Amino acid sequence: MAPDGKRVYVAVQHAFGGDKVSVIDTTSKEITGAISVSTPEQVAVSSTSKRVYAGGKGGVSVINAVTDKVIDTIPHDERPYAMAITPNDKRAAPWAGSSGPRTWRSRPTESAPT
């Protein structure tokens, strides 16, 4: 859920309907948008509600929450099992790991255009 409480972002993997992040308006409880991303598994929203991060196979998609468009992809070699955004919105941190120890991998988020 966005920190402002107005929208919920849900990772959706669907063999026939396509992989996406669905956007749900919390007032109307209606799906108001769908953002195409590759195999989303985890979603995190910035503290300002301006960006959404969808982690999946191959990386983390950075989404402009105003336009609902993917503005950057942060490469990542493993699927994230959880995601977090630092309180200052400077770093996206996918929690990943397969058979070995899990690690935090970060990249500054300010490199993505607004």
Side-chain angles (χ1 to χ4, degrees):
M1 179 182 295
D4 63 11
K6 295 179 181 180
R7 297 170 125 191
V8 173
Y9 297 89
V10 180
V12 178
Q13 291 185 27
H14 194 279
F16 301 105
D19 296 338
K20 61 191 165 207
V21 172
S22 290
V23 184
I24 302 170
D25 180 283
T26 58
T27 303
S28 69
K29 298 177 179 53
E30 298 286 328
I31 296 173
T32 58
I35 306 152
S36 181
V37 296
S38 178
T39 61
E41 295 189 21
Q42 300 294 326
V43 176
V45 183
S46 69
S47 65
T48 61
S49 299
K50 292 182 180 179
R51 290 195 179 149
V52 177
Y53 300 85
K57 184 177 180 182
V60 176
S61 297
V62 182
I63 300 165
N64 179 319
V66 175
T67 63
D68 287 344
K69 303 281 185 209
V70 175
I71 57 174
D72 193 13
T73 300
I74 302 167
H76 201 275
D77 60 347
E78 295 185 61
R79 289 181 178 208
Y81 295 104
M83 295 233 325
I85 306 302
T86 57
N88 64 3
D89 293 330
K90 297 279 186 191
R91 293 195 172 272
W95 179 268
S98 51
S99 58
R102 296 173 189 239
T103 58
W104 283 98
R105 304 226 175 120
S106 301
R107 170 176 159 172
T109 59
E110 63 269 8
S111 65
T114 56

